[in-house]
Amino acid sequence: MDEYAYDRMRREQWLAGEARAEGVDRRTLLRMLAAAGVAGPVLTAVGAGAASAASPVPDAASAASPVPGIVKPLPPEWFVPRGTNAEMRWDSVAGSGFHTPTERFFVRNHTSTPLIDPAAWRLKLTGSGLRRGDVEFDLAQLKRLPSTRITALVECAGNGRSFFLSQQGRTVPGTQWTLGGVGSASWRGVRLAELLHRAGLRREAVDVLPSGLDPEYVTGGVSLGRVRRPLPLAKALDDVLVAYEMNGEPLTPDHGAPVRLVVPGWIGIASIKWLGTVEVADEPLYSPWNTDFYRLFGEAYPEGGSAPITAQVVKSAFELPWAAVLEAGRTHRLTGRSWSGSAPVREVEVSTDGGAVWRRAHLLDHPRKDGWVRWSYDWRPGQPGAYQLRARATDRRGNTQPVTAVHNREGYLFDAVVAHPVTVTRPTAGQAAS
Ligand SMILES: Nc1nc2c(c(=O)[nH]1)N[C@H]1C(S)=C(S)[C@@H](COP(=O)(O)O)O[C@H]1N2
Ligand SMILES: [Mo]
């Protein structure tokens, strides 16, 4: 079943009193239902109280950091601070290895990085979808289970959002990422499927709700509770990892220590950090993160919004400073990376003349479903002046990057080609211009 049909079924079940929506405004669900044409009789009451438990862990707010709430150093040559988040600078990783080093990986925090004592930490599996009741794992038990290593990108659904305004003239709220809200890592851990099977699934189980141990997310004076987002059981059993290692080392605090989820191909919010509980339910679940957030609203979408968004789109980035300065009359080896959430990237084209002529970039990695491809493009600008560089990737399913991204209210899933400004200067004295 596709996500849209699944979502519709969830809504119908909620209407029939067979789904739970803690922390979700009842009006939000009614609006979604009305818009989806799932009209119906008077609804049963649903508790919408925010979770109340205080955070058991101290916040790691450090006054010296350009982003209070992030623990690791954020040198300005590696990161751009954006509210509670830190964006990776693409120019700082030019020509580097396949994976993003952990210390350079972007950070997206709804609140702040908690410091969790790994010895006291437990992962609790709970809920009506389990056959034998609650099950707990401590870290040592988790590490004794069969482990798997995978490569996966984590990318924020809002990555590229700022281009809705700068290229398309549409203001969208939220973190104004350029293209650095993405990273690649090698992850090791236990498959979520392994834990669910050990705990014992009931045939009726349909949704899995992982929650983080970071502080509750408060917006507009209202607590929405812990960061959490339901996953359909089918995805949970497919390729989701309960990870305790990133790039061969234990997870660091900012990236979810001691344990996070990694949900390959899907938007970053699915990969819950600081994992504390996983609820398995025999009824569909809602949280603000699959109702108000992470759906597409706007003129191109149904009134109550799209189905919850899942797979990431196609993007490309040059590993160049924004407004880079290059010299005319010399060959510059431009490098960059392209990626897609749903299939290997098979081709990357580059244009240096405003999008009239496109030539193939040289791929430095084999196309792979679980990662990006690095590429290079040799460019010898003849004349000084202002240029715009463009890169356009196409994946094996034929998904490619359009000239314009379809607008949505929150600015998610920007996939259009980005015009990267560059200034070409006269050759410096003593350099033979040809
Ligand atoms: N518990 C928790 N998990 C979370 C978040 C959060 O704020 N709290 N942010 C999510 C979002 S929106 C993204 S894009 C990724 C970012 O992962 P990173 O900070 O390791 O790059 O984590 C996700 N998991
Ligand atoms: Mo995100």
Side-chain angles (χ1 to χ4, degrees), residues 70 72 84-86 105-114 154-159 177 181-183 187 210-215 217 226-228 246 251-256 260-261 267-276 289 294 312:
I70 293 182
K72 69 182 177 183
T84 55
N85 318 295
F105 210 95
F106 86 102
V107 181
R108 162 69 176 119
N109 281 352
H110 280 73
T111 60
S112 60
T113 295
V154 173
E155 182 182 14
C156 193
N159 194 26
W177 304 100
V182 62
W187 309 92
S211 331
L213 294 168
D214 40 338
Y217 179 58
R226 306 274 192 199
V227 176
R228 63 201 190 285
M246 177 179 186
L251 285 182
T252 58
D254 297 309
H255 298 292
R260 80 178 297 170
L261 226 53
I267 55 172
I269 185 61
S271 293
I272 293 293
K273 302 193 278 189
W274 314 295
L275 190 62
W289 287 267
Y294 304 107
Q312 265 292 2

Side-chain angles (χ1 to χ4, degrees), residues 6 10 125-126 192 196 201 205-211 228-237 240 261 277-285:
Y6 180 70
R10 266 201 189 121
L125 272 59
T126 185
L192 180 56
L196 293 174
L201 282 178
V206 289
D207 267 355
V208 173
L209 180 62
S211 331
R228 63 201 190 285
R229 187 181 199 241
L231 274 175
L233 186 67
K235 180 67 173 175
L237 292 177
V240 175
L261 226 53
T277 53
V278 174
E279 177 180 349
V280 186
D282 64 3
E283 59 191 335
L285 299 175

